[in-house]
Amino acid sequence: MSSIGSPTGAAPTDTGRAAATARGHLFNAGTLARYRDVLARGVDRVARRVGEADRPFTGVTPDELAPLIGAIDLDRPLGDTDAALDELHDVWLRDAVYFHHPRYLAHLNCPVVIPALLGEAVLSAVNSSLDTWDQSAGATLMERRLIEWTAGRIGFGAGADGVFTSGGTQSNLQAMLLAREEAYRTVVGGGSATGRPDRPQVLSRLRILTSAAGHFSVQKAAKLLGLAADAVLTVPTDATRRMRTDELARTIDRCHRDGQVVMAVVATAGTTDFGTVDPLPEIADICAAAGVWLHVDAAYGCGLLVSPTRRHLLDGIERAASVTVDYHKSFFQPVSSSALLVRDGRTLRHATWHADYLNPARAVEQGIPNQVDKSIQTTRRFDACKLWLTLRIMGPDAIGALFDQVVDLAAQAWRRLDADPRFEVAAPSQLSTVVFRYRPPGLAPDLVDEANLHARDALAASGAALVAGTKVDGAHHLKLTLLNPETTVDDIAHVLDLIADHAAWYARTAATAELSCPV
């Protein structure tokens, strides 16, 4: 008799044979030798590529890579580990951007420490899911212990709590969700906000105030949370690119006069472009007086929590209602490793939804620690494992020393640029970014933007180094983001010379073309 779905007797045999072969790829007690061999081959390929990389990038373009990747038939497996690794080299490893290289100076991507890579390998193999206790056991308690440790570093009290997230954008989104619900409850006078007929009208009145130098994820969060199109109001910054507290106070007063509700003020501890820390104590005073939720986006500046010399830059952060931290920026962790911390753990209930099959309400009564009760995500990796092993092997002081080193390097880079007549620098950074542009004496004003844009593109195309770009008061600038303790002042000097050469070439070429153009 044929089985259901098998019109002939041959199919089950073929299926069984294929399944038996496929089972050989599963990680379990019977495939440990294969596991060790395959992973060792992969690690060897990565180590070989990192060892031979003499620049952070090859300069490959999308047009060059797209046909190669598009031609791969994913329905026809190679059936061989080495062949697959050879192909992976051609489509990714060869042209990957290597953040470990000392001349990668672009975005907030850090080189990673080896204990965290060990954690990555371990957590991927065990594959715990951090949504419920019965899927994670000890991992749940380890994540909670790291949240407690981080909250202690911030200065929160015993009632604090938090949860690991995928990154700063998710942390900021969840913080704004909590702030929205708390503001709504205040407006309607307590009780549940869910399902009230006046909810849309109240939401339309909510406003978020953030620095003009703050992160775009605040605007994105407002959109995702269904707030009004003009819900986010930007507060001007001073000459050092820090939020002006006098303007903040005026904006709050104006919102109140206009019948709007300020649901949150977002201060930044480490702006993406300028590395500046807003005046947290003064902002906290204003928020306390106005009864407003203060969120501190410390995605970048959280490294100061373990700095042996600069922790004071975060003074006032302990008065925030919520804080975003990105360990994968300034704790030298692989992506993803981030968290949202709240001073009052009870506010996390706004992200809670009970499902009978997963985290029924009775689990709370039984004292079962289900992290999904605190998280926007359901299935979630044990990313805390990486930070755990880093702290247990290296310790927080070692991480802080590495972060201090790149901050010191940025100060040296700023002084060098400030003294170089070829360049013009923006405000000094409190952290590890330097914003500048090529603008030597005599360069025609209409060529400044184009010369800097060309220099960045040409540098990237060469692969010799990578720097970031941004706009300051409408003008194109370049940016060094220094997160690699192996980067030296000589590396920076070499990159600046390359930028100047590319920009000067463009300026000369453009001027020559203009002179030769017939009138």
Side-chain angles (χ1 to χ4, degrees):
M1 179 182 295
S2 297
S3 62
I4 296 175
S6 302
T8 68
T13 303
D14 293 343
T15 301
R17 192 176 295 121
T21 301
R23 286 197 299 272
H25 293 285
L26 292 173
F27 172 55
N28 53 45
T31 57
L32 297 182
R34 177 176 175 81
Y35 164 70
R36 291 189 177 100
D37 175 64
V38 169
L39 262 66
R41 290 169 187 250
V43 169
D44 182 65
R45 292 297 185 105
V46 173
R48 212 184 313 165
R49 181 67 189 98
V50 169
E52 67 188 15
D54 62 350
R55 54 189 59 205
F57 186 44
T58 63
V60 69
T61 66
D63 288 344
E64 291 171 321
L65 268 185
L68 181 62
I69 295 174
I72 293 173
D73 186 351
L74 296 176
D75 290 317
R76 295 176 63 86
L78 296 170
D80 177 77
T81 298
D82 287 333
L85 287 172
D86 288 341
E87 181 182 84
L88 188 67
H89 174 272
D90 293 341
V91 298
W92 179 45
L93 287 176
R94 180 184 59 205
D95 298 302
V97 177
Y98 286 99
F99 305 141
H100 75 279
H101 195 280
R103 290 179 184 169
Y104 177 85
L105 311 173
H107 301 288
L108 282 167
N109 306 113
C110 60
V112 294
V113 292
I114 293 173
L117 292 178
L118 172 62
E120 187 74 60
V122 173
L123 74 90
S124 296
V126 179
N127 201 32
S128 295
S129 180
L130 263 288
D131 43 336
T132 58
W133 167 260
D134 63 0
Q135 299 178 72
S136 60
T140 289
L141 300 182
M142 291 166 69
E143 175 173 296
R144 290 189 168 204
R145 180 69 186 93
L146 284 170
I147 289 294
E148 179 184 35
W149 175 82
T150 306
R153 287 275 173 165
I154 290 171
F156 284 164
D161 204 348
V163 69
F164 270 62
T165 69
S166 65
T169 294
Q170 184 187 332
S171 292
N172 288 345
L173 171 63
Q174 184 164 352
M176 292 303 96
L177 167 67
L178 305 183
R180 183 193 70 179
E181 295 305 291
E182 288 295 299
Y184 188 92
R185 288 178 63 253
T186 300
V187 171
V188 301
S192 174
T194 304
R196 290 183 62 102
D198 60 347
R199 185 175 174 88
Q201 289 75 27
V202 175
L203 292 182
S204 69
R205 295 167 54 200
L206 298 182
R207 296 294 181 268
I208 302 170
L209 310 188
T210 188
S211 160
H215 197 261
F216 74 89
S217 60
V218 176
Q219 283 83 353
K220 190 171 185 177
K223 180 178 181 179
L224 292 174
L225 292 173
L227 303 185
D230 58 350
V232 179
L233 306 178
T234 56
V235 179
T237 58
D238 60 20
T240 64
R241 306 291 169 172
R242 303 169 78 212
M243 184 191 289
R244 286 182 53 182
T245 53
D246 58 336
E247 290 287 350
L248 173 63
R250 274 194 285 271
T251 305
I252 291 176
D253 287 343
R254 187 173 69 250
C255 287
H256 289 168
R257 289 196 307 270
D258 293 343
Q260 297 166 345
V261 178
V262 179
M263 72 174 228
V265 168
V266 179
T268 309
T271 56
T272 303
D273 278 343
F274 302 104
T276 47
V277 179
D278 286 332
L280 302 180
E282 294 87 347
I283 293 173
D285 287 340
I286 293 170
C287 289
V292 172
W293 181 289
L294 170 59
H295 174 66
V296 176
D297 180 359
Y300 176 15
C302 64
L304 296 171
L305 293 173
V306 290
S307 166
T309 64
R310 294 179 171 87
R311 173 60 181 81
H312 63 279
L313 293 177
L314 291 180
D315 286 351
I317 196 172
E318 71 282 354
R319 298 173 62 189
S322 55
V323 175
T324 286
V325 296
D326 269 9
Y327 307 108
H328 62 224
K329 285 187 171 68
S330 47
F331 276 64
F332 306 96
Q333 300 294 292
V335 175
S336 297
S337 185
S338 307
L340 171 69
L341 289 299
V342 293
R343 182 155 43 91
D344 182 354
R346 293 172 297 180
T347 60
L348 290 172
R349 70 188 182 280
H350 296 306
T352 304
W353 192 274
H354 292 289
D356 289 337
Y357 80 95
L358 187 70
N359 62 327
R362 69 176 182 277
V364 178
E365 301 168 3
Q366 296 168 337
I368 298 173
N370 290 326
Q371 291 295 84
V372 71
D373 295 346
K374 308 174 183 181
S375 178
I376 290 177
Q377 297 168 271
T378 303
T379 302
R380 189 162 53 82
R381 303 173 82 239
F382 181 29
D383 285 315
C385 180
K386 297 174 286 192
L387 181 60
W388 182 277
L389 281 177
T390 300
L391 292 177
R392 302 309 297 144
I393 293 173
M394 293 176 58
D397 291 347
I399 300 169
L402 291 177
F403 191 60
D404 267 358
Q405 190 172 336
V406 295
V407 176
D408 288 338
L409 180 64
Q412 295 178 67
W414 191 93
R415 289 193 294 269
R416 178 178 285 265
L417 276 159
D418 190 44
D420 192 326
R422 300 174 296 178
F423 298 102
E424 175 183 80
V425 288
S429 171
Q430 291 172 281
L431 298 183
S432 62
T433 60
V434 185
V435 178
F436 66 101
R437 60 176 172 166
Y438 176 77
R439 193 176 186 181
L443 180 61
D446 59 334
L447 288 181
V448 175
D449 274 5
E450 290 82 355
N452 281 278
L453 288 169
H454 170 80
R456 185 190 176 205
D457 290 345
L459 187 67
S462 74
L466 289 173
V467 300
T470 190
K471 278 189 174 183
V472 180
D473 301 328
H476 288 286
H477 281 62
L478 304 176
K479 182 176 68 169
L480 305 180
T481 305
L482 304 171
L483 282 177
N484 192 340
E486 294 295 318
T487 300
T488 66
V489 173
D490 287 343
D491 286 317
I492 293 170
H494 179 71
V495 172
L496 294 178
D497 286 341
L498 292 176
I499 290 171
D501 288 345
H502 288 306
W505 177 88
Y506 180 88
R508 287 194 306 271
T509 302
T512 301
E514 185 174 319
L515 288 172
S516 62
C517 182
V519 178

